[in-house]
Amino acid sequence: MRATTHYVMAIIIKIMKKYLLAFLGLSLFLTNCSKNDDSPFTEELEEINPTPEEEIDVTVQNFMWQTMNTYYFWQSDVADLADSRFASYDDYVSFLENEENPGTFFDEKLLYSEDRFSFYSDDYKELTQSFAGISKSNGLEFGLSLFANSNDVYGYVRYIVPNSNASTKDIQRGDIFTGVNGTTLNLDNYIDLLFGDNDTYTLNMAEISNNVITDTDREVSLTKEANLTENPVFINKVLETGGKKIGYLMYNGFTNEFDEQLNNAFGEFKSAGVTDLVLDLRYNPGGSVNSARLLSSMIYGTYTNSVFLKARYNTKLQSEFKETDLIEYFADATDNNTPINTLGLSKVYIIATGSSASASELVMNGLDPYINVIHIGTTTTGKNEFSVTFVDDFDNGNVYDPDREDNINPDNHWAIQPLIGRNENANGFSDYTDGLTPDILLSEDLSNLGVLGNMDEPLLAKAISEITGITAKMDFTVDMPVELVSSSKMFTKIKDNMFMDIKKPLNLTKKQ
């Protein structure tokens, strides 16, 4: 109680000082004006009694520090986040005021040097919409690569989001582009040209001939549209070959708003008598931990007493949770209480690449103690930490809850998405910072990307040959392996984020 009173008094004194100075300045000014409206001393008095300096609003910085001090995975490794960092409340306020830009404050004052993934947003509504698969986009999903011995960049189309602007244009998987609006792409300009403020741009297309990329005169104009929703259940089909019924699922994002559609896809597999599964996560950067748990249950089984993951928080936070709050088990129902359609497999073939991250890797790691996971492709990203969305809702521990929209500080629209822990599998393994290495190494070939879902698409064909035991007639030699610089998904709000729910938000300590 005494500490709280001290905090309130400090604020009151600050306000009184501010307005007392203003009052004294105004009184002196009015006194002189009453004596002589044209007094030559007016300007001098204004210099002696200047308008009080405008105080820096540190609402956002305060919210960021409070949250990071409590939850951040590397809290003990960042000196400015230490519990004993500040000798007094004034010392704390001075620290917050030292950097007026909240984004710079977050990046330069609060992040651990080895943290590759924590980020902020100045619009929490835009951020949370992106987690639901809603964004402003033209629907073109592409990868970016470098020309050999050059800083010039080219893009290649991975897939087109249905019902998007790109779906109405003459562009398809495997197409190559080298410029935007007549400007050649390079490492210095590709971000501004492709992901800048312009909603409409024109791609300068190219083609591959004899394994050489050559510019053409073809152009494709695309426009980003608001509120485009992408269903991550991109392809699900049953392939019958070599006496096998193989389920093929291309899943492009762990978006919990589509968990029912995901479960329905497995219902179709189950009804068709599928005995083998190829799960294609090659372009899946991650998303919801719960969706990863549900997907894993659809593959392996509804064993609600079997550990899927155990969360590991920072040293200060770990003891605040009960054991039951740290463990997630395999599920027998979706969040809508729909029974899980499970295939009960003992082996799964997963296509994963350098664009497969976070929740994609979590599925692979979480299933590994129970079934044989055959990884086809290339080494994954290596994002083994999870994050939570935080907003300025002090009474809920700053944890974002869509049912508490009215409790979020209306003067602070910022959100932060810091890494707050790692997920271990049932064997206690979580150390894959360098990525998960493939059992069968096979890169995508720019000169032969194939059609997704077709049995002769190289990575799927390789999986089918492994399942059936029939050696594929096609040659798996890769003439133009993808050397990834980045991709369109890395410039969305969700990026390669893995997020989960905190069951019981913690009480934050107010600095005073």
Side-chain angles (χ1 to χ4, degrees), residues 45-115:
L45 285 171
E46 287 177 346
E47 291 178 5
I48 296 172
N49 299 287
T51 302
E53 289 186 13
E54 184 177 346
E55 292 185 11
I56 298 172
D57 185 352
V58 293
T59 301
V60 179
Q61 290 89 331
N62 180 51
F63 143 72
M64 288 178 168
W65 191 93
Q66 284 178 331
T67 305
M68 296 289 276
N69 167 259
T70 300
Y71 294 99
Y72 192 40
F73 188 59
W74 292 284
Q75 184 263 343
S76 61
D77 297 300
V78 179
D80 283 333
L81 289 175
D83 294 336
S84 59
R85 166 65 174 81
F86 307 106
S88 66
Y89 175 72
D90 286 341
D91 191 19
Y92 172 65
V93 172
S94 296
F95 171 75
L96 300 182
E97 292 178 337
N98 194 45
E99 178 48 65
E100 294 186 55
N101 185 293
T104 304
F105 176 77
F106 182 80
D107 286 339
E108 296 185 1
K109 303 291 186 181
L110 306 183
L111 290 190
Y112 180 52
S113 59
E114 296 181 17
D115 183 354

Side-chain angles (χ1 to χ4, degrees), residues 127-189:
L127 177 65
T128 53
Q129 280 187 335
S130 70
F131 290 160
I134 304 169
S135 64
K136 188 175 188 178
S137 171
N138 54 36
L140 188 75
E141 295 298 339
F142 54 86
L144 294 163
S145 188
L146 278 177
F147 285 97
N149 303 316
S150 171
N151 287 328
D152 287 344
V153 172
Y154 64 88
Y156 63 97
V157 179
R158 290 173 159 182
Y159 67 94
I160 308 292
V161 177
N163 303 314
S164 66
N165 179 259
S167 69
T168 67
K169 301 300 177 68
D170 181 22
I171 193 167
Q172 61 185 346
R173 174 173 168 79
D175 282 353
I176 307 291
F177 58 90
T178 57
V180 172
N181 299 330
T183 301
T184 299
L185 291 169
N186 58 48
L187 287 176
D188 295 325
N189 66 20

Side-chain angles (χ1 to χ4, degrees), residues 173 233-240 245-252 265-266 268-269 274 276-283 343 349-351 444 451-455 457 459-461 463-464 467:
R173 174 173 168 79
V233 185
F234 190 64
I235 302 172
N236 63 287
K237 61 197 303 186
V238 178
L239 308 172
E240 296 191 41
K245 284 189 175 181
I246 303 170
Y248 173 74
L249 172 67
M250 185 167 205
Y251 185 56
N252 290 334
F266 275 83
E268 294 173 13
F269 291 155
V274 161
D276 299 273
L277 176 69
V278 179
L279 174 62
D280 195 340
L281 302 175
R282 75 181 76 184
Y283 303 139
L343 299 180
Y349 295 82
I350 298 182
I351 297 172
E444 284 197 302
V451 177
L452 293 171
N454 280 13
M455 288 194 288
E457 185 276 311
L459 271 69
L460 176 55
I464 291 172
I467 292 170

